[in-house]
Amino acid sequence: MNLKKILVASSNPKKVREIEEILRPLGIEVVLPPEKVEVEETGTTFLENAYLKVKAYFERFGIPALADDSGLVVEAIAPLPGVYSARFHALEEFGREEPVPDADSANNRKLLRVLKGRGDRSAKFVSVVVLYSDEGGLFAEGEVRGRIAQAPRGDKGFGYDPLFIPEGYEKTFAEMEPQEKHKISHRGRALRKLYNLLRDCAKG
Amino acid sequence: MNLKKILVASSNPKKVREIEEILRPLGIEVVLPPEKVEVEETGTTFLENAYLKVKAYFERFGIPALADDSGLVVEAIAPLPGVYSARFHALEEFGREEPVPDADSANNRKLLRVLKGRGDRSAKFVSVVVLYSDEGGLFAEGEVRGRIAQAPRGDKGFGYDPLFIPEGYEKTFAEMEPQEKHKISHRGRALRKLYNLLRDCAKG
């Protein structure tokens, strides 16, 4: 693969920075898309949604594209919220995607309500990263197990971070410094696997 | 990736032989699964179905697994038969998967009936191959464009081969010798891309 340059198919600057930091040692230039491409995430799995994104961005800009799709899987309602993590509140409330102000908080509140009275609060964050060009694709999965807190705590991170307590910890992702979180996070794990693939591929 | 050995997640000996021939120059041993693993192909795309297969086989046997998912996409009824190619007749007739004797012939007849009177007979064969282990995955897509014949011709190959006339040819896939078909076929193209990925990955 011609990998001097990789385009990150995301408009989330935090994600882009994280990816850049992890791939920097490979000498690969990480660039942002010149403009956003609207992609309908119609897949029923993380792999499929990440693939839909990278394919659309690669076809538009002609640069190998990297995307992540990730979400929370809560044991008591698995595979939900899953691929619907970012739209959980709206889908549960309205049966469709509905733009809501402060969707993260709405999703967190919704999840707490759904889990009320349930004993099993175990959950995992899952991430799938895909790198794609017309020469083919690479992908890697990462996950981190944990449990859902009784109430949100912390103001770092995003999404369900204020509710997610990783195994072996007492604090939530939103209470951790980014570097601490990335070391154990689903996305960090998936990206490090992808890094190893890029470095070692077929050196068997 | 540790790729001394690859397990082909298929019980089709023709497919296995084709894959072995293509990967042989890489010095990778290609093995068959000790037993069949039942995998529900619930995906809505070729990538997803191939992924479901390799993941199940890798989890069972612990050897990097390779699978292909492929099908015919007929322009006039796109994206059908698509991921339902092997079950097209049964799904159209009964609304569910129904084991039928000689499913290939039934599917071919069904397709001819569906296309009767339609002017546009253009179609493409699509294949996605996925190689997967817990270190991550590689995938590659291949396609070949062509058109659907008025009646089946030839007895080589399998599936819709007797109806598919590739662009630039007058004969169907089922009238071609395997080597001739593999040079231009969707699966041949996908596998050669995967071969290149395995060889060149990240040498940018």
Side-chain angles (χ1 to χ4, degrees):
Chain A
M1 281 181 120
N2 178 8
L3 286 177
K4 289 184 176 58
K5 201 193 271 188
I6 285 176
L7 181 145
V8 179
S10 169
S11 46
N12 180 337
K14 286 186 187 177
K15 255 193 213 180
V16 176
R17 198 174 322 126
E18 191 177 328
I19 290 168
E20 190 167 23
E21 283 167 13
I22 291 180
L23 297 183
R24 191 177 298 147
L26 289 172
I28 296 170
E29 184 188 355
V30 175
V31 297
L32 283 168
E35 62 194 24
K36 197 179 170 178
V37 178
E38 288 302 330
V39 182
E40 268 202 273
E41 299 187 14
T42 53
T44 53
T45 60
F46 301 116
L47 174 64
E48 191 59 33
N49 281 334
Y51 167 75
L52 292 172
K53 284 185 264 190
V54 285
K55 196 172 164 78
Y57 276 84
F58 177 75
E59 284 172 359
R60 176 80 69 89
F61 302 113
I63 300 169
L66 188 149
D68 132 283
D69 196 55
S70 50
L72 182 70
V73 178
V74 176
E75 189 60 32
I77 55 169
L80 292 176
V83 291
Y84 309 106
S85 289
R87 310 163 258 172
F88 184 53
H89 164 78
L91 286 170
E92 291 281 310
E93 294 290 315
F94 313 118
R96 62 178 188 281
E97 280 186 68
E98 183 86 7
V100 290
D102 197 3
D104 281 355
S105 301
N107 287 330
N108 280 319
R109 283 195 305 273
K110 180 74 203 170
L111 180 60
L112 286 176
R113 280 200 300 279
V114 168
L115 289 183
K116 205 166 182 177
R118 296 203 195 223
D120 184 0
R121 299 179 79 85
S122 59
K124 61 180 177 183
F125 264 128
V126 180
S127 166
V128 176
V129 292
V130 180
L131 176 66
Y132 178 87
S133 80
D134 51 3
E135 297 175 64
L138 309 179
F139 66 94
E141 302 155 311
E143 64 174 55
V144 52
R145 291 177 179 277
R147 65 182 201 276
I148 303 303
Q150 298 292 337
R153 295 198 316 254
D155 54 10
K156 302 182 185 76
F158 58 98
Y160 295 92
D161 284 354
L163 285 183
F164 187 80
I165 304 169
E167 245 172 37
Y169 290 77
E170 287 307 320
K171 53 189 174 184
T172 69
F173 264 178
E175 293 177 306
M176 293 184 179
E177 295 303 326
Q179 288 310 316
E180 186 179 9
K181 176 190 158 190
H182 297 160
K183 254 183 225 164
I184 58 164
S185 80
H186 50 311
R187 191 174 302 109
R189 285 176 175 165
L191 281 168
R192 282 190 295 276
K193 264 195 206 175
L194 189 76
Y195 173 95
N196 290 335
L197 262 188
L198 282 167
R199 201 193 45 198
D200 294 341
C201 211
K203 300 231 176 85
Chain B
M1 281 182 121
N2 177 10
L3 287 176
K4 289 184 176 57
K5 201 194 270 190
I6 286 176
L7 181 144
V8 179
S10 169
S11 46
N12 180 336
K14 286 186 188 177
K15 258 194 210 179
V16 177
R17 199 173 321 126
E18 191 177 328
I19 290 168
E20 191 168 21
E21 282 168 12
I22 290 178
L23 297 183
R24 192 176 299 148
L26 288 173
I28 296 171
E29 184 188 356
V30 174
V31 298
L32 283 168
E35 60 193 26
K36 197 178 170 180
V37 178
E38 287 303 330
V39 183
E40 266 201 275
E41 299 187 15
T42 53
T44 54
T45 60
F46 300 116
L47 174 65
E48 191 59 34
N49 280 335
Y51 167 75
L52 291 172
K53 284 185 267 191
V54 286
K55 198 172 163 77
Y57 276 84
F58 177 74
E59 284 172 358
R60 175 80 68 90
F61 303 112
I63 301 169
L66 188 149
D68 132 284
D69 197 54
S70 50
L72 182 70
V73 177
V74 177
E75 190 60 32
I77 55 169
L80 293 176
V83 290
Y84 309 105
S85 289
R87 310 164 258 172
F88 184 53
H89 164 79
L91 287 169
E92 290 282 310
E93 294 289 314
F94 314 116
R96 63 177 188 281
E97 280 186 67
E98 184 85 8
V100 289
D102 197 3
D104 280 355
S105 301
N107 287 329
N108 281 321
R109 284 195 305 273
K110 181 75 202 168
L111 181 59
L112 286 176
R113 280 199 300 278
V114 168
L115 289 183
K116 204 163 182 179
R118 296 202 195 225
D120 184 359
R121 300 180 77 88
S122 59
K124 62 180 176 182
F125 263 126
V126 180
S127 166
V128 176
V129 291
V130 179
L131 176 65
Y132 178 88
S133 80
D134 51 3
E135 297 174 65
L138 311 178
F139 65 94
E141 301 155 310
E143 64 174 56
V144 51
R145 291 176 180 278
R147 64 183 202 276
I148 303 302
Q150 297 292 338
R153 293 200 315 256
D155 54 10
K156 302 181 185 77
F158 58 98
Y160 295 92
D161 284 353
L163 286 183
F164 187 79
I165 304 169
E167 245 173 37
Y169 289 77
E170 287 307 319
K171 53 188 174 185
T172 68
F173 264 178
E175 292 176 307
M176 292 183 177
E177 294 303 325
Q179 287 312 316
E180 186 179 9
K181 176 190 157 190
H182 297 160
K183 255 185 223 162
I184 57 165
S185 80
H186 49 312
R187 189 173 303 110
R189 285 176 175 165
L191 281 169
R192 283 189 296 273
K193 264 196 206 173
L194 188 77
Y195 174 95
N196 290 334
L197 263 188
L198 281 169
R199 202 192 45 199
D200 294 340
C201 209
K203 300 230 176 88

